[in-house]
Amino acid sequence: MNRARITIAIPTFNRVETIQANIASIIGGLPSWVEILICDNASEPAVEFDPEIWATAEAKGVRMRVHRNPANVGAPANILRLFELVETEWLLLLGDDDPLLPEQLDSIAECVARHPESAIFKFSSPYGQYEAETVARNFVELMEKGGDFNHLLFMSTYLYNVRECRPYLRYGYLMALAAATQLAIAIMASLEGKQIVLSPLLITRARRAEAAWSPADVRLNFYHLTDLPLTPQHRRLLRAKIYAAHNIFREFLDIASVHASQPAEAAYIRQKAMNVHRVHGHGFKRWVARLLLLLGRITGPRLLGGFKVLYVRAKGQAYQHVFTSRHDRL
């Protein structure tokens, strides 16, 4: 069976050891019809691999390229650079800390063979599992069938038809502020009736992300996706999808913890959060969020310990957060 050539495309910045370990863990299991493309966003030190990695790739017939940007273009733009650099018809987007399951590549190729006309494949993830293979033929179906917003956002589960998706790169760049370029491409493709296949295949193992900028601040930026050229109905659907996944207790904990070390930053995030809940919020959740934000303004970090306990009891997971400026990890 002839396999469609697929590029495993990985953006990375200042995580040299992580990307080295990731590639080392998968290189031996890759078939010759797969390529690897890494876009190094001007990391210091630069991304390099041991000779053994290159030798294994050559022996397997796997083409491997490392492109280094001359300057840091920001994480969202670094993802889009992969669409400009790729030389195969299909691009499988992968986070530098999300190891691929090489044993699923044959199944991925079979999906492509079944739906060669599709613009995008969205696979299952730890954040969302599809029960059966289905097709979303427009934006409404993507919102209804695509699953939780966090799953739609998770980039290491997208396979793009490069020819079909390159026309939407401009919207990806427009949505750089939303930190959701990969989802912006899918949204625009669905708006123009491009077929998106939703597959039950689980193709990656997501790892716990390193502490970076404020999670609340990043979450608030997702709402910029509603600036895409949507109809009022589509905009309401997208706002509801994002807000349904908005963890208001995590938001409060994050802002309160930032307040201890970066009070000016916390005040800025709190004000942005108030505006988001005022414009995009709805229902009882909206008023709970605004009450928590008001408490955070009055108490700062003093109630943080008690809310951590409540959060763990309600969500069944510990809250851990180490704050650095959101600009430092771009």
Side-chain angles (χ1 to χ4, degrees), residues 10-322:
I10 308 175
T12 190
F13 172 63
N14 276 1
R15 293 205 282 196
V16 174
E17 293 182 358
T18 300
I19 187 70
Q20 288 173 340
N22 194 348
I23 296 301
S25 71
I26 67 173
I27 192 67
L30 299 182
S32 60
W33 44 270
V34 167
E35 299 186 9
I36 295 177
L37 171 61
I38 295 166
C39 198
D40 176 10
N41 202 14
S43 299
E44 291 295 342
V47 172
E48 295 181 350
F49 293 98
D50 294 334
E52 292 81 1
I53 297 293
W54 292 102
T56 301
E58 183 177 2
K60 300 283 293 185
V62 174
R63 185 187 183 202
M64 191 165 88
R65 291 188 291 151
V66 179
H67 172 85
R68 178 174 168 83
N69 294 332
N72 186 333
V73 297
N78 197 40
I79 293 173
L80 297 173
R81 291 288 289 130
L82 294 162
F83 285 86
E84 299 170 3
L85 296 164
V86 64
E87 296 178 0
T88 62
E89 182 181 0
W90 296 92
L91 182 152
L92 181 63
L93 189 59
L94 189 68
D96 60 7
D97 61 344
D98 295 325
L100 179 72
L101 300 175
E103 63 271 19
Q104 295 286 40
L105 284 168
D106 281 335
S107 297
I108 292 173
E110 290 168 4
C111 284
V112 172
R114 287 195 300 273
H115 305 280
E117 74 288 355
S118 296
I120 298 172
F121 290 81
K122 176 63 174 172
F123 298 101
S124 294
S125 78
Y127 307 105
Q129 177 70 51
Y130 300 120
E131 294 183 359
E133 185 175 278
T134 58
V135 175
R137 294 180 173 84
N138 53 55
F139 176 81
V140 173
E141 289 189 2
L142 178 63
M143 292 295 101
E144 292 176 347
K145 301 177 181 179
D148 180 86
F149 178 78
N150 292 326
H151 169 63
L152 285 174
L153 186 70
F154 183 49
M155 74 175 187
S156 297
T157 48
Y158 278 101
L159 176 67
Y160 298 89
N161 183 317
V162 177
R163 183 186 67 256
E164 294 286 341
C165 292
R166 270 180 174 157
Y168 308 117
L169 289 190
R170 64 188 179 116
Y171 295 103
Y173 280 110
L174 179 66
M175 287 297 106
L177 182 60
T181 55
Q182 68 279 2
L183 180 54
I185 291 173
I187 288 173
M188 292 309 302
S190 71
L191 285 171
E192 295 196 359
K194 303 292 185 180
Q195 182 168 288
I196 299 177
V197 177
L198 310 173
S199 170
L201 282 178
L202 188 66
I203 65 169
T204 60
R205 299 190 306 273
R207 290 183 176 174
R208 185 178 180 86
E210 297 175 8
W213 52 77
S214 162
D217 203 3
V218 175
R219 165 72 57 185
L220 296 168
N221 284 353
F222 296 155
Y223 292 91
H224 286 290
L225 285 168
T226 59
D227 291 337
L228 288 168
L230 305 169
T231 66
Q233 176 199 8
H234 291 160
R235 189 166 286 115
R236 285 193 296 272
L237 284 174
L238 182 56
R239 286 167 56 182
K241 176 71 71 172
I242 299 172
Y243 202 66
H246 194 128
N247 189 324
I248 58 175
F249 298 102
R250 176 68 185 262
E251 179 182 70
F252 169 80
L253 289 173
D254 181 62
I255 294 174
S257 65
V258 170
H259 184 88
S261 58
Q262 302 281 341
E265 188 79 11
Y268 165 73
I269 300 172
R270 184 184 301 110
Q271 184 59 51
K272 188 160 73 167
M274 290 293 287
N275 290 334
V276 162
H277 290 294
R278 177 175 57 83
V279 174
H280 298 282
H282 50 82
F284 180 71
K285 184 177 182 178
R286 175 188 189 182
W287 297 105
V288 172
R290 296 177 77 172
L291 175 61
L292 287 176
L293 289 166
L294 179 62
L295 282 174
R297 181 178 182 180
I298 296 171
T299 66
R302 288 197 294 270
L303 289 181
L304 189 60
F307 270 90
K308 280 184 180 179
V309 174
L310 291 175
Y311 181 85
V312 172
R313 288 182 177 177
K315 300 294 180 180
Q317 56 186 1
Y319 171 81
Q320 295 180 338
H321 175 53
V322 178

